[in-house]
Amino acid sequence: MADVEKTEEMHKLFDKTAKVYDQSGVEFFGPIGRRLVEFSGVSAGQSVLDVGCGRGAALFPAADAVGADGEVIGIDISEEMVKYAREDAGRRGLGQVTLAVMNGQAPDFPAARFDAVIGSCSLFIWTNGPDDVRPYRELLRPGGRFATAAPSFFSTLRGKWALFPEAVNDLLMPYMLTSLKQNGAYDSQFANAGSNWLATPEAIEKTLTEAGLTDVEVREEELPVVVESGRQWVDFTYTTGMRGMWERIEEAERAELVQEVSRRLDGLRDDSGSITTPVPIVYIRANAPRD
């Protein structure tokens, strides 16, 4: 898992991003969170831990799934993320939801506490192998479900990443790699793509099996991300962890890059005037042994 310095980097980034996180008007984290909860099989009356809950993309669908007789605990390293998620939970009247500021890399709960441990677009940031996954398995009751979702890393073996539209991958990937080398927060998932446990379905199954989980299922599905302009896509990325990449680029160079990215994406408009870029998302589920 990430060391103290890298954890602090994540903390600062997501505290800074929390106010606008998933608030750009572009449908992204919400659909992924809803699909993850559906894929996880969370059901009424269960106890669920949402690791790296952000502003609630999976937290609130999980609350709907478990109902008033269940419970969902959301944890996030960012105080600001937790603040906004707690406010939203209150407005929704979700008494079954509890939120806490906690480092998702070291969740502080008793063993066998939960029926399900989920993480939507979060766990991939800091998990590098079975040793990092094992703590989540230990939180599960016998037969409990581990489930996570992430932008697909299957294409990283070809020097690409799912979050970047094909038309701008060659522009942005070098900046992403430079940013990652500077802050270290997500480094292994890119720089060591060949050994990344998320790079292939086989690697995922091997990692989760070695972590003590069983019945591993991996599914890649395309999420259509719709924007009205190339600039809206750029603005959307500022409301995600990709903000860290943009902020590490010198101002004048960044302005030129934004202009070129916007120009290329504007060339993808369909007859309705919208731009749709398919983003492959990987959904993963596995079970804790029953005995």
Side-chain angles (χ1 to χ4, degrees), residues 43-48 62-63 65-73 95-97 115:
S43 60
Q46 290 190 325
S47 177
V48 179
V66 303
D69 293 330
E71 72 165 341
V72 182
I73 299 177
Q96 68 271 46
V97 171
D115 296 300

Side-chain angles (χ1 to χ4, degrees), residues 57 83 85 90 112 114 135 161 167 169 175 212 216 222 243 275 279 288-289:
K83 179 186 78 172
F114 298 99
W161 191 37
N169 182 81
Y175 289 100
V216 178
E222 281 196 348
R243 177 174 180 159
I275 302 163
V279 178

